[in-house]
Amino acid sequence: MTEPFTIAIDGPAAAGKGTVSKAVAAHFGFAHLDTGLLYRAVGAKMLLGQDPATAARELAASDLEAGDLRGPEVADAASRVATVPEVRAALLDFQRSFARRAGGAVLDGRDIGTVICPNAEVKLFVTASAPVRAARRHAELVAAGSDVSVDQVLADVLERDARDSSRAASPLVPAKDAVTIDTTDMSIDAAVDAALAVVAQRR
């Protein structure tokens, strides 16, 4: 059985951390967990009237497969429930258990390297400028049929950045020993290559 090997990838919305994480996991044959999906699933339940802490405690794997977890309304709800300490505590054990599974794991989120897996073998912080991230997210939303202006998306990105980085529980900050990859002027292939190079060096 292969020893556990944890790769923690953090960063703000639309920086490319999800795409990088999936590519790194696929390259090394590791399991991948988008921890943001946990919070989106809890946020979706909150929008249906459930108490966020209760929803987090009762979260099932099947809840992560709901088809409406990628929309902007759920994303906003996810950011709000992520500020609730009881929600974060309820989801902590699930994430830590996943991280130390045999065969290796890649987790992406906002507090993986700082709180969930402070002893991860590799820590990356994937970021980009707010205008570039807003343009990427705007393109995704328009492709999905949403009628929203890039200015509105930028305002949403800045608001979420402020909320994520200023919350009392597990704020979004790079781990002290994380390697930062700024994708502002990088292609996705270049970003993935940069991440793979860091992981290869640590293995």
Side-chain angles (χ1 to χ4, degrees), residues 75-154:
D76 183 68
S79 182
R80 283 186 280 133
V81 300
T83 66
V84 181
E86 293 83 1
V87 170
R88 305 198 74 84
L91 299 176
L92 186 64
D93 288 344
F94 180 94
Q95 295 172 78
R96 284 182 172 165
S97 175
F98 187 97
R100 298 315 286 172
R101 64 199 292 152
V106 180
L107 288 81
D108 71 80
R110 284 169 172 72
D111 64 346
I112 310 303
T114 54
V115 175
I116 307 300
C117 303
N119 297 316
E121 282 76 12
V122 177
K123 298 178 191 175
L124 300 174
F125 191 82
V126 179
T127 189
S129 72
V132 165
R133 290 187 289 119
R136 292 172 182 167
R137 178 54 52 83
H138 179 255
E140 290 175 3
L141 292 172
V142 169
S146 178
D147 180 21
V148 62
S149 71
V150 70
D151 288 342
Q152 179 59 52
V153 177
L154 176 58

Side-chain angles (χ1 to χ4, degrees), residues 15-16 19-20 126-128 132 136 181-195:
T19 304
V20 169
V126 179
T127 189
V132 165
R136 292 172 182 167
I181 299 175
D182 189 328
T183 68
T184 300
D185 298 313
M186 296 176 84
S187 68
I188 192 59
D189 288 343
V192 169
D193 287 346

Side-chain angles (χ1 to χ4, degrees), residues 2 5 7 20-31 103-106 122 124 192-193 195-203:
T2 310
F5 188 95
I7 302 172
V20 169
S21 297
K22 287 174 190 165
V24 168
H27 180 86
F28 290 105
F30 289 0
V106 180
V122 177
L124 300 174
V192 169
D193 287 346
L196 292 175
V198 175
V199 177
Q201 190 177 30
R202 304 287 170 88
R203 288 193 79 198

